[in-house]
Amino acid sequence: MPKNLCLSVLILSVVTSKFILAQTPDTVFLEELTWTEVASAIDSGSTTIIVPTAGTEQNGPHMVLGKHKYRINAGSERIARSLGNTLVAPVITYVPEGDIDPPSGHMRFAGTISIPREVFESVLEYTARSLKQHGFTDILFMGDSGPNQAPQESVAERLSREWSREGINVFHIGDWYKIGVFDDYLISQGANYEQIGSHAGLRDTSLLLAIAPEHVRTKSMSPGRGPDVDGVSGDPTIATAEYGQIGFDLIFNAALDQIKELMQKE
């Protein structure tokens, strides 16, 4: 082969390799990968996957309905990168939020979307079955909303029993919703439980300010008038991104520790 032709082939090979590498994104999110990239990741040892669950619900006049989605995606990515060899499935945003007719819970406020518990459990189950089929061996359900916890635990236990002889594990990561560790910190800083609240108050608002501040309408913040009035329990006006970052770190560490403990046992 002529020297010039050999040199041309070599240059083309280098350029092509660089192009292919440039086309593969630095991401842990399943939805940002092609099927061949996912298959390659699994073959290379990325057999753990996080299934994040969120919700589409009212969060007072000052926070968007997708609050849980932004929080759980940020947490899932951070955990996946910390664990290594871990991917993140698309977040499940349709979850139980109350009765539809007559409406109860968050369904009393415009924009909230609710599904029955049994439907949510079915979505979790068949998400896990799909992921198992592709070669994932450790499937982690991680939810950012209270009503998601019991269904996740139930499905995880049932599928783990079914697949116990196949070496497939399904875990419910309940410590992601271990919000008490953040509450304890806020109390230590002089806040009280009335200010922290149970929904869209100090705790909730601080977390979103740290993770996705563009989704907080600061001009619409005021002390909550109650879950039955404006959907707010607590005082979001004293929330800060600094509080939220500390809370995010505390919750992240609790969840990561639980995951490592569960996977070591298996």
Side-chain angles (χ1 to χ4, degrees), residues 39-89:
S40 177
I42 293 170
D43 289 342
S44 299
S46 293
T47 55
T48 298
I49 189 161
I50 298 170
V51 178
T53 72
T56 304
E57 64 183 34
Q58 73 83 19
N59 290 289
H62 65 285
M63 284 194 294
V64 298
L65 279 76
K67 171 196 75 180
H68 286 303
K69 179 184 76 171
Y70 297 109
R71 294 198 326 206
I72 196 65
N73 261 345
S76 296
E77 179 179 18
R78 186 174 172 185
I79 287 174
R81 291 188 182 278
S82 295
L83 289 173
N85 291 327
T86 301
L87 296 179
V88 179

Side-chain angles (χ1 to χ4, degrees), residues 157-177:
E157 289 177 353
R158 176 157 46 87
L159 291 179
S160 288
R161 285 195 301 270
E162 180 181 336
W163 297 335
S164 60
R165 295 184 179 181
E166 300 178 61
I168 309 296
N169 304 302
V170 184
F171 299 120
H172 163 55
I173 310 306
D175 282 2
W176 175 261
Y177 204 65

Side-chain angles (χ1 to χ4, degrees), residues 183-249:
D183 289 354
D184 290 344
Y185 168 77
L186 292 171
I187 293 295
S188 76
Q189 298 303 299
N192 58 52
Y193 286 112
E194 184 178 354
Q195 292 169 322
I196 293 170
S198 60
H199 190 75
L202 169 58
R203 180 206 316 122
D204 265 0
T205 306
S206 292
L207 286 168
L208 196 60
L209 280 171
I211 293 165
E214 68 275 18
H215 296 306
V216 181
R217 315 289 194 252
T218 55
K219 292 183 180 179
S220 298
M221 291 196 303
S222 61
R225 292 184 290 158
D228 297 327
V229 182
D230 60 356
V232 179
S233 167
D235 187 356
T237 66
I238 57 175
T240 69
E242 291 74 22
Y243 281 161
Q245 187 58 56
I246 291 171
F248 185 54
D249 291 344

Side-chain angles (χ1 to χ4, degrees), residues 141-160:
F141 292 151
M142 196 165 78
D144 196 62
S145 185
N148 303 8
Q149 307 304 308
Q152 288 177 183
E153 185 173 17
S154 175
V155 174
E157 289 177 353
R158 176 157 46 87
L159 291 179
S160 288

